[in-house]
Amino acid sequence: GDSVTQMEGPVTLSEEAFLTINCTYTATGYPSLFWYVQYPGEGLQLLLKATKADDKGSNKGFEATYRKETTSFHLEKGSVQVSDSAVYFCALGGTSYGKLTFGQGTILTVHP
Amino acid sequence: EAGVAQSPRYKIIEKRQSVAFWCNPISGHATLYWYQQILGQGPKLLIQFQNNGVVDDSQLPKDRFSAERLKGVDSTLKIQPAKLEDSAVYLCASSGTRGRNYGYTFGSGTRLTVV
């Protein structure tokens, strides 16, 4: 079945550092890929998405490219801020209409 | 556009008691989902409705969990009787016809603690 594997956390960075959170997936067919973010005390918010191979999703300085050959969708940001501290979830929208399969989440803490 | 509304925000119950959660999706959204998020894990789909019909409930523990979506709008998720391992955040989400490709909107969740 479909599955998503994220890099283990927590990740701790200083402000303005470069961020990468790795995500790989297993799926049949051609899934859509998503990154969701969960700020402390809040619900899940869609951060960015890509619906086909080689698509690049971007939002708020974050980027991720749908790599079919490596089955990956790594999240990157060139310069993180304290306000980026949150839990980040990689998710896959597979062939079962609408269902999302999530990774386990990566906690990011950014220090001033 | 109003978001997905859930209530209550927090609930503490003793094991073997029953509890119910309510969700009001975004107006016009045909598909409604209930996810369970255990601390330190990603959300897991419990049940998916398309209008008022069940599309997927393969991971719903049917001996204790039940859900309904009357009139294809609001939904209620019930646990009876609750176990300690049911402690989690219960998330409701809704989507229009393009949920698969465009992601969907989550509510703020109900945090359940079973003691």
Side-chain angles (χ1 to χ4, degrees), chain A residues 34-39 41-48 87 89-93 98-103, chain B residues 1-7 9 22-26 29 31-37 41-47 89-96 99 102-110:
Chain A
F34 306 87
W35 277 100
Y36 280 82
V37 59
Q38 190 170 39
Y39 298 103
E42 298 185 15
L44 284 164
Q45 300 175 26
L46 178 62
L47 180 60
L48 55 83
V87 183
F89 291 93
C90 186
L92 177 157
K99 174 183 175 181
L100 288 180
T101 300
F102 286 85
Chain B
E1 170 179 84
V4 175
Q6 288 188 248
S7 67
R9 284 297 306 272
W22 173 82
C23 173
N24 180 240
I26 291 174
H29 278 190
T31 311
L32 185 147
Y33 313 81
W34 283 101
Y35 281 80
Q36 180 192 56
Q37 185 179 12
Q41 299 181 20
K44 180 185 79 173
L45 179 70
L46 291 176
I47 189 167
V89 176
Y90 291 84
L91 296 165
C92 181
S94 70
S95 71
Y102 289 82
Y104 39 72
T105 305
F106 283 88
S108 298
T110 296

Side-chain angles (χ1 to χ4, degrees), chain B residues 23-92:
Chain B
C23 173
N24 180 240
I26 291 174
S27 178
H29 278 190
T31 311
L32 185 147
Y33 313 81
W34 283 101
Y35 281 80
Q36 180 192 56
Q37 185 179 12
I38 294 172
L39 186 65
Q41 299 181 20
K44 180 185 79 173
L45 179 70
L46 291 176
I47 189 167
Q48 176 183 342
F49 292 94
Q50 182 74 18
N51 296 309
N52 61 346
V54 175
V55 174
D56 184 350
D57 64 355
S58 57
Q59 298 197 79
L60 186 74
K62 298 181 185 66
D63 58 334
R64 298 183 300 107
F65 285 64
S66 64
E68 61 182 7
R69 190 182 184 196
L70 298 176
K71 301 180 181 178
V73 182
D74 293 5
S75 178
T76 303
L77 177 69
K78 296 179 181 177
I79 308 175
Q80 181 180 6
K83 293 185 175 182
L84 296 176
E85 59 261 35
D86 299 331
S87 295
V89 176
Y90 291 84
L91 296 165
C92 181

